[in-house]
Amino acid sequence: MSAEIGPPLALLAELTHRCPLRCPYCSNPLALERASAELDEAGWRRVLSEAAALGVLQVHFSGGEPLVRRDLAALVRHAAVAGLYSNLITSGVLLDRARLDELVEAGLEHVQLSFQDAEPASADRIAGLADAHRRKLAAAALVREAGLPLTVNAVMHRQNLERLPEMIALALALGAKRLEVAHVQYYGWALANRRALLPTVEQLERASALVEDARVRLKGVLVIDYVVPDYYARRPKACMGGWGRQFLNVSPAGTVLPCHAAESLPGFDFPSVRSASLADIWYRSDAFNRYRGTSWMPDPCRSCDRREIDWGGCRCQAFALTGDAGRTDPACALAPDRGLLDAARQDAAAPPGEFVYRQIGAVAEAR
Amino acid sequence: MSATHARILVDGASRLRFAPHVKFRHDETRARWVVLAPERLLLPDDLAVEILKLVDGARDIAGIVDDLARRFEAPRDVIEADVTAMLQDLVDKGMLAP
């Protein structure tokens, strides 16, 4: 099988799990790494060099909040020298002009800034941080003044979905060229908060119609990426473009994963950059080969004519809902476990529970 | 909506270049040309690569079409339609700009 494995296109470098925000849908795992466990600057430099040599073209510096790392600009510079196109995924609350100038000078190409809502009080409540929204607006202005392209990342759920028009207007007002309207995906923290976050089908349909209309109206002005929540999809998403096909993720501690949520899967010994090269891990590790391609698939995936389009969907979702990462993703209408989603969707009709905010050292009670 | 928020429509007189922070370069690992953009990565096919190599901010689209029609010995109107559609799409996606 190794003959058909191409080099990865992109690296998600999760420099840290530390973050001043406490969003209840954070994509980090429930068990967050402490600062003492993080790879040091020399370790990350080696990861970036190996990634470039392996064929990675783009690096996404993410977290947690990557700006808590004082060596961020040095790592951006290292990436640029290695020929990697670098993107910063940030909450923006720690960005000031001096930090941004340093990053631009180091060769940063693009900033993706998250917004929790268009309404400041609600945004700050969802982020779990006072004054966060105002600081993000200031960060967006700095990014545009510096001449960097800006993407607004709007994570949507039942507590902010009705303000989608205001989110689109906000992206335009900030001078963003791209807007990601990303419905929450339910793993990790978001799964623990599903009752508080999952929209109803009516809310979702209104949002989808609105995005379609805005895409036509704003063609050539604002590119809108739209991620529908799996819970209301008929076919699963091609998670990460397929397991071990295009993408690798390095966690703050140096663990290498096929996607940022994969650490939740049991029965894996995910390799570390502390003990193996990225090339070895990408081409030869059990973890990357286990769900690669199509030969691992059960039916109905194995005989499905979409098997090389959606690649069996998401392994983490299959595990979160069925307890077996090798099952067909229940997001597919053909999945034997599809009924599990019908039950989950009833969460959307229940009163929203309180948020379980993300924090280091907390153990979330799932659902 | 302000003037800076208007869609740009291309025609034969348009002179386009890659937008700031969009990189068109040859990738040695894959032995092919790639376009790197904010959270986007394009792997253009051979014909698209020939078009993009002519996008230099100096040549107008009519000039690009003339060049390709001559080199590929193809009808100019067919080339013009294909090239204009491709470049308009890349302008709409923010990859190319006047």
Side-chain angles (χ1 to χ4, degrees):
Chain A
M1 185 165 99
S2 66
E4 62 189 61
I5 307 171
L9 294 168
L11 165 70
L12 180 66
E14 291 185 328
L15 299 181
T16 181
H17 281 157
R18 290 175 285 155
C19 183
L21 272 61
R22 301 185 294 136
C23 307
Y25 46 71
C26 181
S27 63
N28 289 160
L30 294 175
L32 296 165
E33 300 283 2
R34 292 169 191 278
S36 57
E38 291 174 11
L39 283 182
D40 63 8
E41 183 182 332
W44 279 111
R45 283 176 182 268
R46 188 167 57 80
V47 168
L48 294 166
S49 295
E50 289 186 10
L54 186 55
V56 167
L57 296 169
Q58 294 205 346
V59 57
H60 307 289
F61 289 104
S62 180
E65 172 50 63
L67 284 159
V68 306
R69 293 272 308 212
R70 300 308 304 183
D71 52 6
L72 179 61
L75 296 176
V76 168
R77 185 182 310 280
H78 192 92
V81 170
L84 296 167
Y85 187 98
S86 64
N87 169 36
L88 178 66
I89 299 176
T90 180
S91 70
V93 299
L94 301 179
L95 196 66
D96 59 26
R97 189 179 303 270
R99 287 297 305 272
L100 187 60
D101 286 350
E102 185 188 40
L103 291 166
V104 170
E105 204 264 325
L108 184 68
E109 304 280 10
H110 167 247
V111 175
Q112 183 199 109
L113 196 57
S114 65
F115 281 88
Q116 279 64 39
D117 202 329
E119 200 282 303
S122 174
D124 290 352
R125 184 181 72 84
I126 294 165
L129 180 70
D131 205 33
H133 189 72
R134 189 194 57 78
R135 288 156 74 182
K136 286 161 177 278
L137 295 176
L142 287 175
V143 170
R144 293 304 298 131
E145 280 165 32
L148 281 183
L150 173 70
T151 292
V152 166
N153 173 264
V155 181
M156 307 307 291
H157 46 80
R158 71 188 275 182
Q159 301 206 25
N160 66 6
L161 203 46
E162 67 201 69
R163 283 179 295 282
L164 182 54
E166 289 84 354
M167 278 290 217
I168 295 170
L170 177 64
L172 282 173
L174 294 175
K177 291 282 188 251
R178 289 182 63 240
L179 168 65
E180 278 184 17
V181 177
H183 285 281
V184 169
Q185 301 282 349
Y186 294 95
Y187 330 108
W189 293 98
L191 187 57
N193 283 293
R194 193 169 67 188
R195 274 186 58 179
L197 296 171
L198 189 69
T200 63
V201 68
E202 293 77 20
Q203 278 184 305
L204 180 73
E205 281 170 358
R206 274 200 301 277
S208 299
L210 223 137
V211 166
E212 236 164 88
D213 170 72
R215 275 178 169 164
V216 173
R217 184 166 48 89
L218 299 173
K219 190 178 176 106
V221 174
L222 182 70
V223 175
I224 303 178
D225 286 345
Y226 187 58
V227 181
V228 179
D230 281 338
Y231 282 42
Y232 294 111
R234 282 189 46 76
R235 292 288 177 265
K237 63 183 178 297
C239 198
M240 314 320 292
W243 183 276
R245 284 191 71 246
Q246 300 180 343
F247 181 89
L248 51 83
N249 177 37
V250 178
S251 83
T255 305
V256 189
L257 304 162
C259 88
H260 55 269
E263 254 178 320
S264 67
L265 300 177
F268 275 93
D269 185 15
F270 286 109
S272 169
V273 295
R274 297 181 197 267
S275 52
S277 72
L278 274 189
D280 251 349
I281 292 168
W282 178 257
Y283 287 109
R284 288 175 281 281
S285 68
D286 163 65
F288 274 81
N289 281 317
R290 193 165 318 170
Y291 297 122
R292 212 170 222 156
T294 55
S295 56
W296 63 273
M297 288 178 178
D299 267 323
C301 300
R302 182 187 281 269
S303 55
C304 181
D305 59 7
R306 289 179 56 87
R307 65 185 175 276
E308 293 193 352
I309 297 170
D310 49 36
W311 300 99
C314 172
R315 299 303 88 225
C316 302
Q317 181 149 274
F319 170 72
L321 295 175
T322 74
D324 177 357
R327 302 277 291 177
T328 294
D329 184 345
C332 182
L334 303 172
D337 302 309
R338 177 70 173 185
L340 292 171
L341 282 195
D342 298 334
R345 281 195 297 266
Q346 293 178 3
D347 278 3
E354 293 292 311
F355 285 148
V356 179
Y357 282 107
R358 164 208 208 274
Q359 58 177 312
I360 290 180
V363 179
E365 289 287 326
R367 283 148 291 174
Chain B
M1 210 178 289
S2 70
T4 56
H5 278 164
R7 183 184 183 203
I8 295 155
L9 292 172
V10 306
D11 60 27
S14 303
R15 292 172 206 278
L16 299 175
R17 58 185 170 77
F18 284 90
H21 302 284
V22 175
K23 307 277 166 78
F24 176 53
R25 67 173 174 82
H26 192 262
D27 170 38
E28 303 301 328
T29 306
R30 292 168 185 78
R32 65 180 298 170
W33 287 82
V34 297
V35 178
L36 301 173
E39 295 179 60
R40 280 286 188 284
L41 199 152
L42 306 181
L43 302 172
D45 63 20
D46 291 347
L47 180 58
V49 166
E50 291 308 316
I51 298 168
L52 291 175
K53 281 179 178 171
L54 300 175
V55 171
D56 57 6
R59 234 179 285 238
D60 60 17
I61 291 183
I64 291 175
V65 170
D66 288 341
D67 184 316
L68 293 168
R70 196 166 51 242
R71 277 161 52 207
F72 293 95
E73 295 176 8
R76 193 183 186 287
D77 56 336
V78 174
I79 298 255
E80 183 177 33
D82 287 353
V83 169
T84 306
M86 180 186 127
L87 296 179
Q88 179 68 57
D89 182 52
L90 290 174
V91 168
D92 286 342
K93 288 175 175 157
M95 308 248 180
L96 302 178

